Amino acid sequence: VSTQSTGSSGINAEYGGAIAVTFRQTNIIWVGFTAGTVVIRDIEFRGIFTDRDDFMSQFAIAFQAILRNFKRYLKLLTPYIIVIIGFAGFILYNKGIVVGDRSAHVAVLHFPQFLYFLLFLFFFSAPHMIQRLRYSHLTVLRYCFRPVHVALFFASALLAVACFRYEHPYLLSDNRHYTFYVWRRILNRTPATMYLLLPVCFYTFLNMVALLSTVHSKFFTLLYFLCCAAQTVPQGLLEFRYFILPYILYRLHVPQHSWVVLFLELCQYTLINLLTVKVFLNKTFEWPDVGELNPNPQRFMW
C-alpha cells in the first residue's frame, strides 16, 4: 500500500484499498491508516516542529496546520475519501458491515484480542524478537524510566483478561482450526496461563514501539496501534487472519535486520508452511457425531 503523498500514488492506493475492502471489510481500517500516514508525512516534511516541542504541543501544531491547509489536505486525501464513502454506501445498502451469518459476527469489546495479537507477532517474528534481548536493557531505560507506563500497561492488560475475555462458540466447537488447539492447550490451559504470558506481551509491545520509533514519528506509531486495536478488539472470534495484515505492515515499517535474522525468519516460515501442508494432506479425522451430514474426512487448517 502506498503511503506517499503524490497524486499517482494516491490513485494507486485508492485502487488497492478498494480491492482490499472487497476481500475483507475490516481492510477499510488500513485504508484510513494509509490516508493518515500521508498527512503525517506531509506535515513532517514541512518541518513545523522544533526539538523543544513535546508530543502534545506537536499534536496541537499539527492540528492547526491541517485546519489552515484544509483544502490542500482534502485534495490530497480525495482518493482515500472516495473509497471510504463507497464503503459507507455498502454499509447502508447491506444494513451492516457483516456479509454472511450476522449472529456469528457481532462486534464485542474483546480487549484480550490485542494481547493475542502481541503473542502472534512475538511468535512469527521470533528471530528478531529474540535478537532484541541484547538491546532490551536500553529499550527498558528509554521507554520504562517512568514506572507509570509499566503500571498502566499491566493494569490495562489484567483488566482486559479478567473482565473482557470472550469465548466464541466457533472457537470452542470447530476442532479443524489451529486456534481451537492454541486456545485449549496454551491460552486457556489454566485460569492463570494468560496472566503468566503478560510479560511476553509487554516485551513485544515495548520492542514494537522501540523499533517503529527508530524510523517513524510518534504520530505514525500511535496511528498504527490505534488501527491495530480497531482491527482486533471488536472481533469476538480468535482467528489468525485478523492479525496477518497488521503484522505484515509492522514488518514492512521496522528497520531491516541482519541477514542472519532474515535467514532464520525465512527458515521459520518455510518450516511452518511445510508442516501445515503435511498435516493438511496426511492427517485426517472423522466427525462421527454428524454422520451422513458430512461424511468426508476433516482436515486441520488455519
Side-chain angles (χ1 to χ4, degrees):
V1 177
S2 172
T3 56
Q4 300 301 316
S5 57
T6 62
S8 60
S9 295
I11 294 174
N12 291 334
E14 174 191 354
Y15 291 144
I19 294 171
V21 170
T22 63
F23 281 87
R24 185 164 299 282
Q25 299 93 303
T26 52
N27 285 341
I28 194 67
I29 294 168
W30 302 103
V31 174
F33 169 78
T34 308
T37 58
V38 169
V39 176
I40 290 171
R41 292 185 178 184
D42 185 81
I43 290 175
E44 292 171 350
F45 180 77
R46 290 169 169 266
I48 60 177
F49 303 133
T50 66
D51 294 336
R52 294 177 296 177
D53 295 328
D54 58 19
F55 178 73
M56 294 307 298
S57 298
Q58 290 181 354
F59 184 85
I61 294 170
F63 184 72
Q64 293 171 4
I66 292 173
L67 292 180
R68 286 196 304 268
N69 301 277
F70 182 76
K71 290 183 178 179
R72 180 178 183 277
Y73 286 114
L74 186 63
K75 181 179 180 180
L76 195 64
L77 298 179
T78 296
Y80 308 97
I81 295 172
I82 291 173
V83 177
I84 293 172
I85 291 175
F87 183 75
F90 158 76
I91 292 178
L92 292 175
Y93 174 79
N94 191 55
K95 298 181 180 179
I97 192 174
V98 177
V99 176
D101 187 358
R102 296 175 186 250
S103 63
H105 297 88
V106 178
V108 295
L109 287 177
H110 193 188
F111 292 110
Q113 279 275 40
F114 184 74
L115 301 175
Y116 304 151
F117 166 66
L118 294 177
L119 294 174
F120 174 92
L121 189 141
F122 177 85
F123 176 78
F124 281 97
S125 57
H128 79 88
M129 280 293 173
I130 293 173
Q131 183 209 30
R132 291 286 301 175
L133 284 170
R134 60 178 176 171
Y135 304 115
S136 290
H137 64 288
L138 299 175
T139 304
V140 170
L141 287 174
R142 182 178 179 185
Y143 292 96
C144 295
F145 59 93
R146 295 181 182 177
V148 65
H149 295 161
V150 184
L152 182 61
F153 179 91
F154 279 101
S156 302
L158 288 169
L159 181 64
V161 175
C163 301
F164 293 94
R165 190 182 298 197
Y166 183 81
E167 295 179 330
H168 196 282
Y170 286 3
L171 178 65
L172 303 177
S173 60
D174 196 341
N175 62 344
R176 296 172 300 176
H177 294 275
Y178 288 140
T179 48
F180 174 88
Y181 302 97
V182 170
W183 177 255
R184 289 187 61 185
R185 299 181 181 180
I186 301 177
L187 299 179
N188 201 39
R189 186 178 184 88
T190 69
T193 301
M194 193 59 209
Y195 295 102
L196 296 176
L197 289 172
L198 290 183
V200 180
C201 297
F202 178 69
Y203 172 79
T204 305
F205 179 74
L206 200 64
N207 279 288
M208 289 177 70
V209 173
L211 288 168
L212 287 171
S213 298
T214 57
V215 290
H216 297 289
S217 67
K218 293 179 180 179
F219 292 111
F220 180 97
T221 304
L222 177 61
L223 179 63
Y224 171 78
F225 280 113
L226 288 176
C227 289
C228 285
Q231 167 84 7
T232 58
V233 170
Q235 311 294 340
L237 179 61
L238 172 59
E239 275 288 2
F240 296 145
R241 65 176 181 261
Y242 300 131
F243 305 151
I244 292 174
L245 188 53
Y247 170 73
I248 291 174
L249 288 173
Y250 163 77
R251 288 295 287 116
L252 288 174
H253 285 95
V254 295
Q256 186 69 275
H257 301 282
S258 69
W259 287 108
V260 174
V261 172
L262 291 176
F263 177 75
L264 291 174
E265 200 170 34
L266 175 63
C267 292
Q268 178 191 11
Y269 294 161
T270 302
L271 179 62
I272 290 172
N273 286 331
L274 289 175
L275 289 175
T276 301
V277 173
K278 178 178 175 61
V279 170
F280 180 81
L281 293 177
N282 299 326
K283 190 172 180 60
T284 62
F285 63 97
E286 305 291 337
W287 276 351
D289 53 329
V290 298
E292 297 180 355
L293 295 177
N294 194 346
N296 298 319
Q298 305 302 316
R299 299 180 185 274
F300 295 101
M301 54 188 171
W302 285 108

